[in-house]
Amino acid sequence: GYWRKTYHGYADIVADDAHRRRLLDRISACINRCHNPKDGGYENYGGRGIEVHAEWREDRRGFLAHIAALEGWDNPKLDLDRIDVNAGYQPGNLRFITRRENCNNKRTVREMQQRIFELEARIRHLEQRAE
């Protein structure tokens, strides 16, 4: 516990140390997996174009204030989740949900295959227009 980060500079936004630490750890994880190619989750986040809202990358206080305003922020049993799995960590796309709901909010093979078909159709259409 002696070397544990306490994030005292954010106490005015989230007073409780445990909540503050948990939320700031989540923020760090979001930024790392979206913007650090050395992070193990980068391929599924940053590698797909998922980003953290630019202002929030520079201002973690703003990110923390935003998620602390969401319903469920103070329940440690809930996960921070992106509503649209293909969009980034941005205003209007975040919520707190249960682990089970979070597991159900993932890309599926069927959805990815459908996107591939749609992209292939668009490519064919553009190639036909170019001829």
Side-chain angles (χ1 to χ4, degrees), residues 36-69:
N36 180 1
K38 294 180 182 178
D39 185 272
Y42 180 81
E43 180 180 315
N44 291 313
Y45 289 85
R48 290 193 312 120
I50 305 298
E51 295 186 339
V52 174
H53 183 57
E55 284 183 34
W56 292 346
R57 285 195 311 266
E58 303 300 321
D59 177 24
R60 290 183 187 209
R61 291 177 59 80
F63 197 169
L64 179 62
H66 180 80
I67 62 175

Side-chain angles (χ1 to χ4, degrees), residues 71-86:
E71 186 176 335
W73 72 271
D74 56 347
N75 183 345
K77 293 182 179 181
L78 298 180
D79 292 344
L80 180 62
D81 177 60
R82 290 173 295 118
I83 297 166
D84 177 357
V85 296
N86 294 310

Side-chain angles (χ1 to χ4, degrees), residues 68-110:
L70 297 173
E71 186 176 335
W73 72 271
D74 56 347
N75 183 345
K77 293 182 179 181
L78 298 180
D79 292 344
L80 180 62
D81 177 60
R82 290 173 295 118
I83 297 166
D84 177 357
V85 296
N86 294 310
Y89 293 91
Q90 57 199 24
N93 196 40
L94 298 177
R95 64 183 173 180
F96 283 93
I97 60 174
T98 65
R99 170 71 57 173
R100 173 171 274 175
E101 290 170 314
N102 200 358
C103 289
N104 290 332
N105 188 31
K106 291 184 177 181
R107 296 175 294 150
T108 64
V109 172
R110 184 177 299 144

